[in-house]
Amino acid sequence: MNPEILLARPRGFCAGVDRAVDIVEMALEIFGRPVYVRHEIVHNSFVVDGLRLRGAVFVDDLESVPAGAPIVFSAHGVSPAVRAEAANRGLKSIDATCPLVTKVHLEAIRFARQGYSILLVGHVGHIEVEGTLGEAPEVTQLVDGIESARTVQVPNPDKVAYLTQTTLSVDEAEEIIAVLRERFPAITSAPKSDICYATTNRQNAVKEIARKCDVLLVVGAPASSNSNRLVEVGRACGATSYLVERASDIRKEWVEGAKCIGVTAGASAPEVLVEEVLRQLREWGAREAVEVEVSKEDIAFTLPRELAEEARSRGVAVEHLEKHAKSRGSTSRVG
Ligand code: SF4
């Protein structure tokens, strides 16, 4: 076997994940261990285990967090009810919600105030969806696929808006939204897509390589929505596609006989895991990877103001502050 390797770019960490991980690291430096984190900060066990070793404690609910302790909300966002519970319990909340998820929350609030029924296109039970639903639960319904788009009912079809989860398949979301538009011609939405730049760019990069490859390996966690969507996009382009968390998950028979293997990573997978996969493929005889760049990304989000001020006053982790000091422009689409 001497297959060609095509490596998608962009791939891996997005600006929201990078920021969320830095926030937990900074909180550990500022407050010392333990720092509590509600849910996995990002959907990647390698990243989560690394932070756990440094003193982060991941919890599913706030009951087990001692009063006064710092609690970080994950990149996926939380509902107002969770924020209120943290405040009532006297916890020190640090918000690592991705600003592009916050954008969707603000849209939900705006549409609800304007009297719209909201249809949220997303996956049942996904943590981001639970947070967004919580902004206006009395007027928001989840639409989790074509069938649900065909059957959902609203009180006034002339006053309806849709929002989406940030990490959906762009193509699948378009199909669902087309059904909603057909049923509710007056439906409105935010001016820009809720599907974020990182999701869109990674799917476009996969389309570019998957149609040239026999096999696609997506580095990502089973719970990662955007990683699962990359697998689906790869399959739709004709490549036999697999989700792998680590190189050790790859079965040799998957890649034996392949002439071209595509490699990419979801937005919560660090580059070190991609390098591990490439090393494994080389050990099995693959050629050096050729990177296929579809769009450039140069985006960074500012840190939560309270954390930045706290860090400055204590002289902590200056490199994190500089890295996130300004949101840089991007040549790629911001969803
Ligand atoms: S995938 Fe998109 S919405 Fe999610 S953290 Fe990354 S940039 Fe933010």
Side-chain angles (χ1 to χ4, degrees):
M1 138 176 167
N2 187 23
E4 183 184 2
I5 305 292
L6 296 183
L7 183 57
R9 187 181 180 96
R11 64 178 176 276
F13 267 22
C14 61
V17 165
D18 195 36
R19 173 180 181 267
V21 172
D22 283 352
I23 287 172
V24 177
E25 288 177 347
M26 284 186 66
L28 284 164
E29 290 179 58
I30 292 169
F31 302 107
R33 52 199 300 168
V35 164
Y36 293 84
V37 183
R38 187 176 180 275
H39 288 303
E40 292 186 338
I41 185 74
V42 296
H43 283 143
N44 188 283
S45 54
F46 179 85
V47 174
V48 167
D49 290 345
L51 292 170
R52 193 178 278 126
L53 279 176
R54 297 175 61 179
V57 176
F58 295 89
V59 295
D60 287 334
D61 54 53
L62 302 186
E63 280 169 24
S64 51
V65 184
I71 176 84
V72 180
F73 299 135
S74 76
H76 313 94
V78 293
S79 69
V82 173
R83 290 179 199 282
E85 187 188 350
N88 288 340
R89 302 209 47 239
L91 306 182
K92 187 164 185 56
S93 297
I94 302 159
D95 193 359
T97 303
C98 175
L100 299 182
V101 174
T102 301
K103 164 187 170 284
V104 183
H105 282 228
L106 294 175
E107 287 161 1
I109 294 167
R110 176 170 67 86
F111 283 130
R113 282 196 185 133
Q114 292 173 352
Y116 285 89
S117 297
I118 299 170
L119 301 178
L120 174 60
V121 182
H123 297 287
V124 178
H126 190 274
I127 179 174
E128 178 191 320
V129 162
E130 286 173 2
T132 310
L133 277 172
E135 290 291 355
E138 62 293 341
V139 296
T140 309
Q141 297 181 76
L142 184 61
V143 172
D144 67 350
I146 293 278
E147 195 45 42
S148 136
R150 286 195 186 116
T151 53
V152 68
Q153 298 294 328
V154 293
N156 179 359
D158 291 328
K159 198 81 179 170
V160 53
Y162 74 83
L163 303 172
T164 79
Q165 189 178 330
T166 57
T167 50
L168 296 182
S169 152
V170 173
D171 297 337
E172 199 182 318
E174 273 172 12
E175 285 173 29
I176 295 169
I177 291 162
V179 172
L180 294 177
R181 284 194 196 287
E182 200 180 308
R183 290 194 58 216
F184 310 113
I187 197 166
T188 189
S189 66
K192 278 188 173 178
S193 169
D194 295 326
I195 298 179
C196 76
Y197 80 95
T199 299
T200 307
N201 290 348
R202 279 151 192 69
Q203 288 178 18
N204 286 341
V206 160
K207 284 178 188 169
E208 191 61 31
I209 62 168
R211 56 173 77 106
K212 299 172 186 157
C213 291
D214 319 289
V215 175
L216 176 75
L217 300 175
V218 177
V219 183
S224 162
S225 173
N226 77 86
S227 301
N228 282 296
R229 302 297 78 77
L230 293 177
V231 172
E232 291 167 5
V233 170
R235 283 181 187 147
C237 291
T240 306
S241 305
Y242 301 98
L243 183 68
V244 294
E245 284 195 85
R246 303 289 302 255
S248 53
D249 294 340
I250 308 170
R251 303 229 303 257
K252 201 172 180 184
E253 60 263 32
W254 293 350
V255 292
E256 264 170 348
K259 289 193 174 64
C260 177
I261 302 168
V263 176
T264 188
S268 45
E271 185 65 8
V272 64
L273 299 183
V274 175
E275 286 163 8
E276 191 185 87
V277 164
L278 295 177
R279 210 161 35 242
Q280 176 65 84
L281 293 174
R282 278 199 305 273
E283 275 173 25
W284 286 339
R287 287 179 248 168
E288 283 295 324
V290 174
E291 201 166 59
V292 178
E293 185 173 56
V294 169
S295 52
K296 291 190 187 301
E297 288 183 355
D298 183 17
I299 288 177
F301 297 128
T302 51
L303 289 170
R305 190 165 40 85
E306 304 75 16
L307 191 65
E309 283 171 5
E310 193 93 39
R312 272 199 196 91
S313 71
R314 301 187 191 206
V316 168
V318 173
E319 71 275 17
H320 285 326
L321 288 178
E322 283 173 357
K323 182 171 148 195
H324 294 277
K326 56 187 187 296
S327 295
R328 294 187 294 273
S330 171
T331 53
S332 47
R333 174 183 161 200
V334 177

